[in-house]
Amino acid sequence: EPEVTQTPSHQVTQMGQEVILRCVPISNHLYFYWYRQILGQKVEFLVSFYNNEISEKSEIFDDQFSVERPDGSNFTLKIRSTKLEDSAMYFCASSRPSGESYNEQFFGPGTRLTVL
Amino acid sequence: AQSVAQPEDQVNVAEGNPLTVKCTYSVSGNPYLFWYVQYPNRGLQFLLKYITGDNLVKGSYGFEAEFNKSQTSFHLKKPSALVSDSALYFCAVRDIGGGSWGKLQFGAGTQVVVTP
């Protein structure tokens, strides 16, 4: 069964450094998402991406964040200058294309980001 | 604005007994409702969804959920719990009337502990 994969599983970085989190969505999916979960808190929506552009973003997704689909398989989340409060588990998700808008999202295993 | 509440941080149940995990929601329009399960060190796995139609929805691993519009609830149920059902369960809602582009709003999660 196809799965969403994410790398690395754990990323440790110094405050102020740039990080790139990588995701490979399921191959025939066209809608992509990033969520994050700060330890002990809810899973929060960050951004959705379709047709090579952001379709929706939350207030969390400020100018420090960017997303990109550099090729036909990868979907990346970049944080330009990490802050301590960016420490969280970051989940990538994708959903399949169709005329309906209610397809379930398939999630990757997550990348745990630790900012020191 | 859309929101989801899971009133119980943890549910304890003996193996073989019925399991219920509660969820209530608030949306401005009609909801799409989802249940996900998370095992340790794994991503969120889709269990089931309610879009329209029959209020009782059947999903993976013997789980089902009942949509109750008047009570704005979408409780997850399993007639006979297994030890392997021990995991973290998330309810999520998408507001189809809010112009959202697939953004899921998650509840805080309920830890299910099934004892032998």
Side-chain angles (χ1 to χ4, degrees):
Chain A
E1 185 175 332
E3 293 181 332
V4 176
T5 59
Q6 290 185 244
T7 54
S9 57
H10 192 187
Q11 174 89 46
V12 181
T13 189
Q14 295 291 325
M15 189 170 56
Q17 294 297 304
E18 175 184 286
V19 294
I20 298 176
L21 310 183
R22 290 183 167 80
C23 168
V24 178
I26 294 173
S27 62
N28 67 338
H29 287 189
L30 295 181
Y31 300 86
F32 312 115
Y33 311 85
W34 284 100
Y35 293 82
R36 79 172 186 190
Q37 184 180 31
I38 296 172
L39 188 64
Q41 298 185 24
K42 292 184 179 184
V43 177
E44 302 172 291
F45 169 80
L46 291 177
V47 65
S48 59
F49 190 86
Y50 171 70
N51 200 26
N52 283 320
E53 62 183 21
I54 290 173
S55 46
E56 187 177 8
K57 61 183 180 180
S58 72
E59 56 276 9
I60 301 169
F61 195 88
D62 61 22
D63 292 343
Q64 292 300 312
F65 291 87
S66 62
V67 290
E68 190 179 30
R69 188 156 164 80
D71 53 41
S73 61
N74 290 283
F75 180 51
T76 62
L77 174 69
K78 182 192 292 186
I79 309 175
R80 288 190 183 81
S81 179
T82 50
K83 302 187 279 285
L84 294 176
E85 54 264 37
D86 294 328
S87 295
M89 181 72 90
Y90 288 80
F91 293 106
C92 173
S94 68
S95 62
R96 65 183 181 269
S98 74
E100 304 91 359
S101 58
Y102 50 75
N103 289 316
E104 60 270 24
Q105 295 171 24
F106 292 83
F107 284 77
T111 293
R112 179 162 298 285
L113 176 65
T114 302
V115 182
L116 302 177
Chain B
Q2 58 194 35
S3 65
V4 178
Q6 292 181 243
E8 301 154 318
D9 292 335
Q10 183 165 313
V11 170
N12 297 298
V13 62
E15 188 173 33
N17 283 358
L19 169 63
T20 298
V21 186
K22 296 179 181 176
C23 171
T24 58
Y25 66 90
S26 174
V27 295
S28 57
N30 291 315
Y32 292 153
L33 293 155
F34 303 82
W35 275 101
Y36 285 83
V37 60
Q38 185 179 31
Y39 297 99
N41 301 316
R42 300 286 296 275
L44 301 167
Q45 296 180 36
F46 169 75
L47 280 179
L48 49 79
K49 65 184 178 185
Y50 172 81
I51 305 303
T52 186
D54 194 347
N55 289 342
L56 185 63
V57 179
K58 294 190 183 299
S60 307
Y61 313 120
F63 284 94
E64 57 189 28
E66 185 167 12
F67 172 67
N68 188 317
K69 188 172 183 178
S70 62
Q71 297 184 2
T72 61
S73 67
F74 189 56
H75 300 331
L76 181 70
K77 299 180 181 182
K78 186 170 184 179
S80 178
L82 301 172
V83 173
S84 57
D85 293 328
S86 297
L88 188 57
Y89 290 79
F90 291 96
C91 182
V93 66
R94 186 187 156 201
D95 183 354
I96 62 174
S100 170
W101 240 96
K103 167 187 173 181
L104 290 177
Q105 184 80 34
F106 282 89
T110 298
Q111 183 70 47
V112 170
V113 178
V114 182
T115 51

